[in-house]
Amino acid sequence: MRITCPVCGERSVAEFAYEGDATLPRPALDASAEDWCVAVYERENPRGPHAEYWQHAQGCRSWLKVERDTLTHAILGVTLLGRFSGRTGE
Amino acid sequence: MAEYSVFSLIANALTGNRSWKPAWRAATPKPRYDVIIVGGGGHGLATAYYLAKEHGITDVAVLEKGYVGGGNVGRNTTIVRSNYLLPANSHFYEWSMKLWEGLSHDLNYNVMFSQRGVLNLAHSPAQMDAYARRGNAMRLAGIDAELMTREDVARFVPDLDVSPDARFPVHGGLLQPRGGTARHDAVAWGFARGADRRGVDIIENCEVIGFLRDGTGRITGVETTRGEIGAGKVGVAVAGSTSQVLSLAGIQHLPIESHVLQAFVSEPLKPLLDTVVTFGAGHLYISQSDKGGLVFGGDIDGYNSYAQRGNLPIVEDVASLLLTMFPSYGRLRLLRSWGGIMDMSMDGSPIITTGPLPGMYLNSGWCYGGFKATPASGWCFAWTIARDAPHDLNAAFTLDRFHSGAVIDERGAGPVPWHH
């Protein structure tokens, strides 16, 4: 599996750290305990396209949102997150 | 079906082994059963076996999408141990160990259970302290445990690199002498045969594609690729496919992620490793099968996957750990590698419970420790299905523990399933 980092280009998955499901919005700090339980523990766990966070930990250290197929491991799309994300494509 | 014995072996040998009968019938689905078990893996077959044996419930069908032994029960590294720290886990896995110890006789099927010991290596004084604590906890729970010095380890596993200039020098280890390995296919086949002999229908090539429900929402059966089948109770034991199967019943979220775990086997060799060894400064476990192959594995790949195949970084990681432990294995050839899909729960512990819907029962969340649990998992799940309430041994393995806060996090990794 290879992931194309928007900053560094196509790299081996070994350079990236998996950071989990990106489909769940983070609850507000004063949200109910039940809302937090759902966000922390409940997962859709799809067999197919899945939005997830990865960090290019052994490269530029950017946080990425990756659309990936969990059945085929095909990378369907990569978006740069964080303060530099507005510069993608410059 | 005839008992297997030394006499049946001799009689069949003298007649050219042409008279053996299939170990279980190829059953055709009936319109209705008292209990349907979805998933013909080790846990589902064990559940059917103990439903019949312990609770007298024999109107049971086990529905398997593929063939018996084709899923995780045939894909694991066959290690059996009960060296847990937390009380809920240690009592459950020790009960499993006790069932393992009598399983071949109980099933009249040789599962080749070999109590060759499971040795966890320690690579620092702090890790020795942690193992001393774990060993004490195990002994307090009535489980065998022996703390070993570096010299003990060197005598116990002669090929191991215990030299002081190793990258992670071995300080000692924790041995569970009663741990070991079993022949994984035989476990599936033995439970299938044992259940079949008590009247259970084992129905292969029968995929569940929906659930039947009555007006109150109660589960009343399943829709399959071989037609609708009614049931008084439906137990689901489908490991990595739990989220997919329960979504057919309208349950879209569970405290489970599916991850891929790879395993490896070398070319067959003369006997050279007579125990199970696990590396303590990384993650690697290795034993030698009776066929001679070195069977080993390491961490899960670490991202959600249903692919049943992993990627090369884990192959490299596992190979480098293997050579760190056993430099002399460097010239061996890898025969095969494969992947299985793990139902990684959010606290690393299993779920054996009534629900989550009326008429449904759930057995899942085995992470990558499901094989050793096979007998106790089936035993407890059968109890839970038969009595509509958990046994004391699985009372803590609920689905709502994540909401009540009573998680069982053996590793202390938090709700990060790829770190368990």
Side-chain angles (χ1 to χ4, degrees):
Chain A
M1 201 159 76
R2 292 172 75 78
I3 297 175
T4 302
C5 172
V7 179
C8 309
E10 187 182 317
R11 299 296 176 92
S12 162
V13 69
E15 291 187 12
F16 297 84
Y18 185 63
E19 302 292 351
D21 195 314
T23 60
L24 297 144
R26 189 177 171 83
L29 285 177
D30 58 353
S32 68
E34 190 53 35
D35 286 349
W36 274 102
C37 265
V38 169
V40 172
Y41 293 117
E42 304 284 316
R43 296 289 181 270
E44 194 176 331
N45 192 21
R47 186 175 185 263
H50 186 222
E52 51 202 29
Y53 295 119
W54 289 78
Q55 191 193 13
H56 196 184
Q58 307 295 322
C60 63
R61 303 198 60 77
S62 296
W63 278 68
L64 311 172
K65 189 171 177 177
V66 176
E67 184 84 1
R68 190 179 59 92
D69 192 312
T70 60
L71 184 58
T72 63
H73 292 172
I75 307 290
L76 308 173
V78 182
T79 319
L80 188 63
L81 302 173
R83 59 189 294 204
F84 301 110
S85 58
R87 297 191 191 173
T88 327
E90 276 182 13
Chain B
M1 213 82 57
E3 287 278 308
Y4 293 152
S5 66
V6 66
F7 304 108
S8 73
L9 271 179
I10 292 168
N12 279 287
L14 292 175
T15 54
N17 285 313
R18 285 187 297 270
S19 308
W20 290 108
K21 299 283 184 292
W24 61 89
R25 297 164 291 131
T28 310
K30 293 193 295 183
R32 190 186 184 285
Y33 292 89
D34 287 346
V35 178
I36 283 177
I37 305 296
V38 184
H43 293 224
L45 294 165
T47 304
Y49 174 76
Y50 289 114
L51 272 173
K53 179 178 179 246
E54 302 289 338
H55 305 281
I57 300 172
T58 57
D59 187 27
V60 177
V62 178
L63 308 183
E64 166 55 41
K65 177 176 80 170
Y67 61 94
V68 164
N72 287 358
V73 72
R75 288 169 182 264
N76 56 76
T77 44
T78 79
I79 297 167
V80 175
R81 57 184 174 87
S82 58
N83 53 357
Y84 283 77
L85 177 70
L86 300 180
N89 282 333
S90 57
H91 293 302
F92 173 82
Y93 286 104
E94 178 58 14
W95 176 233
S96 203
M97 179 66 79
K98 287 176 177 161
L99 291 172
W100 277 112
E101 287 174 330
L103 197 60
S104 290
H105 280 107
D106 190 32
L107 293 175
N108 179 232
Y109 202 102
N110 186 3
V111 299
M112 298 165 75
F113 182 47
S114 164
Q115 293 179 291
R116 58 184 69 182
V118 172
L119 172 64
N120 302 134
L121 297 177
H123 305 266
S124 67
Q127 206 169 7
M128 284 297 284
D129 290 347
Y131 280 172
R133 176 186 178 224
R134 176 176 295 253
N136 286 337
M138 288 165 63
R139 287 189 163 206
L140 283 170
I143 304 166
D144 58 323
E146 287 177 23
L147 203 59
M148 288 178 126
T149 64
R150 179 179 160 278
E151 289 67 36
D152 295 335
V153 168
R155 270 193 301 276
F156 194 64
V157 190
D159 284 345
L160 198 64
D161 181 5
V162 295
S163 60
D165 52 351
R167 175 66 183 83
F168 298 100
V170 172
H171 277 243
L174 183 66
L175 175 72
Q176 184 183 18
R178 285 159 67 241
T181 59
R183 174 77 199 279
H184 50 3
D185 305 301
V187 175
W189 300 333
F191 273 120
R193 175 171 170 273
D196 176 88
R197 273 156 46 106
R198 285 170 169 79
V200 171
D201 280 358
I202 292 159
I203 303 165
E204 296 170 273
N205 300 309
C206 181
E207 181 178 0
V208 169
I209 53 175
F211 286 87
L212 309 177
R213 306 175 75 162
D214 66 13
T216 67
R218 186 182 171 83
I219 300 288
T220 57
V222 293
E223 189 184 345
T224 76
T225 48
R226 296 175 68 174
E228 290 186 358
I229 310 175
K233 299 175 176 182
V234 177
V236 178
V238 294
S241 299
T242 302
S243 295
Q244 300 310 302
V245 170
L246 289 204
S247 74
L248 300 172
I251 293 171
Q252 300 300 342
H253 293 88
L254 287 167
I256 287 173
E257 287 186 0
S258 295
H259 285 255
V260 60
L261 174 67
Q262 301 189 60
F264 308 85
V265 62
S266 77
E267 60 188 325
L269 304 153
K270 290 281 177 69
L272 82 165
L273 180 64
D274 63 356
T275 186
V276 182
V277 192
T278 79
F279 191 58
H283 194 193
L284 184 120
Y285 33 92
I286 182 167
S287 65
Q288 187 174 21
S289 79
D290 292 286
K291 256 194 308 194
L294 292 165
V295 183
F296 53 99
D299 274 324
I300 54 176
D301 272 44
Y303 41 81
N304 291 44
S305 175
Y306 286 88
Q308 289 192 321
R309 59 182 166 77
N311 276 290
L312 290 171
I314 286 289
V315 180
E316 185 179 0
D317 180 57
V318 163
S320 60
L321 289 176
L322 178 66
L323 296 195
T324 301
M325 292 168 69
F326 298 102
S328 59
Y329 292 1
R331 292 164 69 189
L332 302 182
R333 280 166 295 191
L334 196 64
L335 188 66
R336 284 187 298 131
S337 73
W338 62 93
I341 302 306
M342 310 293 116
D343 39 335
M344 301 298 295
S345 69
M346 286 293 181
D347 61 358
S349 294
I351 296 158
I352 309 176
T353 184
T354 56
L357 297 170
M360 183 189 267
Y361 305 78
L362 179 63
N363 177 326
S364 68
W366 291 101
C367 301
Y368 45 113
F371 178 70
K372 71 177 98 66
T374 304
S377 167
W379 195 93
C380 288
F381 198 36
W383 178 292
T384 305
I385 292 170
R387 308 199 181 201
D388 273 312
H391 187 273
D392 282 350
L393 285 168
N394 65 304
F397 298 149
T398 62
L399 194 54
D400 65 7
R401 67 177 183 264
F402 301 97
H403 290 249
S404 66
V407 293
I408 309 161
D409 190 344
E410 185 84 22
R411 186 156 177 187
V416 187
W418 59 95
H419 287 170
H420 283 291

